Amino acid sequence: MTSMGDKGSVQTQTKVLSQGCWTEVSCPCCVSKQVEPLVLIQLSDNVQPVTKRWLISLIEASKRHGGAALLTHPGEDECRNVIVVSAPRCTLLRATEDLGLCKKYHNEEMASFSYHDRDNFTNVDDMQEFLTLAERQYIVKNELDSLQAQKKQRIPGIPEAPGVLEAWENICQKLVRAGVIKDIFPLHDQQRLNDLGRRWYSKKQIWGQPLDAIQSYFGSTVAFYFSFLDFYTWALVPPAFLGLVLTFLLPGGGGVVKEQAGEGAMEEDDDGPSVSGHMVQAVFSMLWSTLFIELWKRRSSSLSHRWGTLNLAERFAGPRPGFHGTLGLNPETGRLEPLFPEWQRQLRVGLVSLPLVGLLMGLVVLGMTCFYHGEALVQGFHQDSGSLFSGVLLYMPSMAHIVYTNMLGNVYHAVAMQLTEWENHREESSFQNHHTTKVLLFTFFNNFAVLFHIAFYKQDLPLLRKRLASMLIGNQLVNQCTEVVVPFIVDRFLSAPHKKEQEDDLEMDKLRAQRSLPPYPGLFAEYIELLLQFGYLSLFSCVYPLTAVLLLLNNITEIRGDAYKICKLFRKPFSAPVSNMGVWQTAFEVLGFVSVMSNCWLLLLSPRVQEFCLEGGISGKNIILVAILVEHVLILVKMVLAFMIPDEPDWVRIKREQIEFNSMQALGQQKL
Amino acid sequence: MTSMGDKGSVQTQTKVLSQGCWTEVSCPCCVSKQVEPLVLIQLSDNVQPVTKRWLISLIEASKRHGGAALLTHPGEDECRNVIVVSAPRCTLLRATEDLGLCKKYHNEEMASFSYHDRDNFTNVDDMQEFLTLAERQYIVKNELDSLQAQKKQRIPGIPEAPGVLEAWENICQKLVRAGVIKDIFPLHDQQRLNDLGRRWYSKKQIWGQPLDAIQSYFGSTVAFYFSFLDFYTWALVPPAFLGLVLTFLLPGGGGVVKEQAGEGAMEEDDDGPSVSGHMVQAVFSMLWSTLFIELWKRRSSSLSHRWGTLNLAERFAGPRPGFHGTLGLNPETGRLEPLFPEWQRQLRVGLVSLPLVGLLMGLVVLGMTCFYHGEALVQGFHQDSGSLFSGVLLYMPSMAHIVYTNMLGNVYHAVAMQLTEWENHREESSFQNHHTTKVLLFTFFNNFAVLFHIAFYKQDLPLLRKRLASMLIGNQLVNQCTEVVVPFIVDRFLSAPHKKEQEDDLEMDKLRAQRSLPPYPGLFAEYIELLLQFGYLSLFSCVYPLTAVLLLLNNITEIRGDAYKICKLFRKPFSAPVSNMGVWQTAFEVLGFVSVMSNCWLLLLSPRVQEFCLEGGISGKNIILVAILVEHVLILVKMVLAFMIPDEPDWVRIKREQIEFNSMQALGQQKL
């Protein structure tokens, strides 16, 4: 799949950047006719030539001399403030081993790549086939990020303090702080991108996505998101079907909110689903969520095997840039690097981050409480006086609440980033997971606070149903607009001339065009959208059975919209090889368990269930006890189910254990 | 610690078995002046000499020829029906590598033993120092167990069908079934045993246990039990202290059951602890149980590192005897062995074992329900008629229930064993865990059914308190009697002459003496006793705060009693190297979570708490809701706590990761 696109693109893309300006390679195996531009370093406009030369020499220098062992192109005359970077074969192969990527061995099995054993891997002579574009670009970024000053020195061309590099200081970070480097980003390969787009979001392509091609072009982080989106959309079919049946076919069905004349009218909505429908829906959605997540884990691990990320060695690689500590020998790998004790990090997470996050969540609740109090107060005042002033005053609480929520959100985001930095995670994935968890908790809380308030405090089911429907439909309309319609308009009418120009023009212009695109904002917004959806679906589904149908419709367009966005509207993002969705998977799983509690509670509140119980002669107190029992049993069932379904398919487990067995064997024989 | 005891014992024990009868060793490295008898194979009395000779030749044959590569001694003239087995150095070392045991490397670190690299390990020339006695004996058993027929053949001296060995059939199992082998057990080393006893359960030794010596003599399975018992006893100090304070110092304290004249009198017991005491006790015990288990996990992993069992390779060793399947190449190790798909085992566990176990538990409940019904019926009848016949009838329900419970217990034990065999586990530890889980669930259920019935169905707190106290005191008295007093009497008065004789007599008499001892019944009974204790303590502690004090007193004698029992009263058990307590640890952990539910429920029932709430103006329904909320929050806190405390100390994690890193490195370099 990768092969054809790759070969074609190399020819297109490398023909223009003048060949002579690339670094000469000394290593015979690294000589190739064409050098593929991978990453662009955008320097500030007023950078001194001496600084640029110094940086280029550093990037080109061998590892032994503290360089990154990469190839550079200083850019054409009109583009003085860029450095284009590529990587020679040796550097790529060594980095592949360091990352712990699995590649195809000569016996067609996946095996952890080993530099010493390189000749037994297939395609090892052709880097464009051996590594995906995303991997090559990530390796370049990784090498650049790991540049460290060997000793205390001055950066040429930068005066005073910002120009002094301490020993072992990270050079790229320093240059970014000093304003020399404005940005580092991977370059698009237009031909491959167009090929990918044709197979991904064109009109002909409705079912399925070219996941392997996505992984190859955008890397596994992005590919996992789209795989999950795909899987999730298919998984929505059964609950959507059930929702349709319950709403339109069963007697007493029809959880659709009737249009009600008076806004905020709170009359009993007697048109909800029947008791049995209610219960079927609730139990089904609780078991469905567990099945969904467990099956996804299996899918995820088989994707991870296919993409060679099953056995990543992030723990044994160098620490992420930004990690600091006292310099010492890493006890595991024996390399000199900053060390920071694990227990200290745990303490920081447990004793500072956790309480602070709790406090800020408390402030959300406080804000909401004040808002409701304020509103009641103002309404009372307005009813009493009825003046213009009090009429204006009516809007004050909501406005104050909006301002407060926004400010709190900004503060929270800053605090979350600061806290995570301060927790000083060694691995990038651990940093991402902790940061994501923090932001995610807050966003989730912020979005669901109102619904929880209605469900648990006001205990007003009709209002909850109305609110849920309006949030679902409203959110989807807004999202579809921003994600599909706007990009479509931009692409069709605004960027059309730009596109044509690209195809005729010189290489450097293409680079310049990419520079003008905004950086990709990351997958957080995409994932949180899915998580909120999943929240509406699993937490409150028994109130509004059509949720799944709406989400299904939404997701089908969402896939194309997201695909279009990442291909056309932004710079290409760097993407680390990952073996799963990380913390998002856990978030979906936790939500599944929380949903048991909320569904049991909602069933308990439902007037029809209460009626039903009273008819059956069960007292109010006993209903609660039964509900608690049901909740505990359901949670137990979910846990047993999760335990029973293995997290990886048998064949993946066997492959993984083969690798473990081989490395154990190797350890035993190595010391002969 | 091992060294001195070992050297002495070798001299004592090997001097008597006539040296000439041992197998000659051909391998130069295995030649030693003395051969240490490790394991005794007890044959049936009417075994044919030709069968014995065939078995001996098989045990002596090299691995290449399908033998076990061990040393044998055919026994002296008067002991025709025994074979004494020992192991040469090469066999021991190779088996050490296969087991994945860690041993001390020349740099004083623990490292996975590798036969190729043997010369870099300390003490590798002296097997008595290099391996513990338990490990040497386990290796011999393991080698014997792995004897397989190379082709279809007849066993000499056994006529007809029982004498035909199919290809790849397990030979030891076959011989046991054919009645040739009556028993295989490891031999005690009297001198070391006496040394150990002196340091373990003598009057001088009150604090602490010689854990390393226990591990060395009895193996890690036994050592983990005693370590846990030790840790658990110390961990009981804080709750015992709290219990004493709450009972005797605080106002309204005194949860001790007052002697009540009428048996079964159910008057309100107003002398329970105060509300705040109640709550403090409950919350404390819930958090304490999590802390206890988490700290034990850390202790357990550091013990496992110290004993070299951190990195066991059971998965990659051969399957356990009794495992069957279609013969094929193991995909992980590439060896020819029976294969059985994992998913099929999962299906058997999930679709057959789980429902059957559930059904049998249901029968327990059914039995209890029938018992209560029957009792009510009979009492009514007796009150009506008052005849002698109805008086006799009064005892019928309890007798029927006892008979029923016993029969059910026997059926259950048989079913559990059959089911676990049928699940066809490949690894011994997995078999043990599944079997233990089944029996454990039943025993636990059987023991607590009455208490749960009182707490949740009858909702009668005073009765619960009385019942708990009587069960605690009764059980402890019975246990102390059977475990300490009886053994003491047996040892002092009955076995004294026997002991003297042993010290003067010949080696073969010692062997005969060991044969007369009953086999060790295993640790199940010991562990379940601790688990039941822990259940009384954590599930119902807020009802009876003195539980911890009673348990603490009990455990201090329990340690000595158990130690005495295993040293003096039974044959030495085989003990596989294990890295933790296996399923028992999980059982304690699960109990910790269940205890949150039961404690919240008991607090809710407590008349004082209800009074307190009513005074505070909280309605009955809201009390329940508050209790649910508290329960969920406490479970959350427990989970966060469990997550925050790492399961292994930092230094163990680093050691483990070092080993992983080294084997990864080795894999990369091996294929040069």
Side-chain angles (χ1 to χ4, degrees), chain A residues 97-98 105 111-117 120-121 311 313 315-316 330-335 341-343 346-347 349-351 354 459 597 601 604 610 620-621 624-625 628 631-632 635 640 643-646 650 653-672, chain B residues 97-98 105 111-117 120-121 311 313 315-316 330-335 341-343 346-347 349-351 354 459 597 601 604 610 620-621 624-625 628 631-632 635 640 643-646 650 653-672:
Chain A
E97 174 169 359
D98 289 344
Y105 207 58
S112 279
F113 179 73
S114 143
Y115 185 76
H116 283 96
D117 194 28
N120 280 324
F121 285 81
N311 207 21
R315 232 168 356 130
F316 302 130
N330 182 324
E332 286 140 38
T333 60
R335 282 191 288 253
E342 181 68 29
W343 59 266
Q346 288 276 0
L347 276 189
V349 173
L351 297 185
L354 204 69
Q459 309 189 358
M597 300 170 206
W601 174 254
L604 193 66
Q610 288 189 334
K621 197 175 154 186
I624 301 184
L625 295 182
I628 300 174
E631 186 213 322
H632 283 78
I635 288 185
V640 169
F643 178 77
M644 288 283 304
I645 302 175
D650 255 23
R653 185 182 53 79
I654 289 174
K655 295 269 153 86
R656 192 174 44 72
E657 288 181 353
Q658 267 172 357
I659 295 175
E660 279 169 38
F661 179 71
N662 287 338
S663 56
M664 216 187 64
Q665 292 285 88
L667 183 66
Q669 269 144 33
Q670 167 211 41
K671 295 164 191 164
L672 247 168
Chain B
E97 174 170 0
D98 288 345
Y105 208 59
S112 279
F113 179 73
S114 143
Y115 185 75
H116 283 96
D117 193 28
N120 280 323
F121 285 82
N311 207 20
R315 235 171 350 135
F316 302 130
N330 182 322
E332 285 141 38
T333 61
R335 281 191 289 253
E342 181 68 29
W343 60 266
Q346 287 276 359
L347 276 188
V349 173
L351 298 185
L354 203 70
Q459 308 190 358
M597 300 171 207
W601 175 254
L604 193 64
Q610 289 189 333
K621 198 174 155 188
I624 302 183
L625 296 183
I628 302 174
E631 186 214 322
H632 283 77
I635 288 185
V640 169
F643 178 77
M644 288 283 304
I645 302 175
D650 255 23
R653 185 182 52 79
I654 289 173
K655 297 266 153 86
R656 192 173 45 71
E657 288 182 352
Q658 267 172 358
I659 294 174
E660 279 169 37
F661 179 72
N662 288 339
S663 57
M664 215 187 65
Q665 292 285 88
L667 183 66
Q669 269 144 33
Q670 169 210 39
K671 295 165 192 163
L672 247 170

Side-chain angles (χ1 to χ4, degrees), chain B residues 156-172:
Chain B
I158 305 179
E160 306 300 315
V164 178
L165 269 172
E166 299 296 326
W168 300 105
E169 199 173 355
N170 188 298
I171 293 178
C172 278

Side-chain angles (χ1 to χ4, degrees), chain A residues 386-398:
Chain A
S387 67
L388 183 69
F389 172 70
S390 70
V392 172
L393 218 60
L394 269 182
Y395 292 94
M396 284 307 291
S398 5

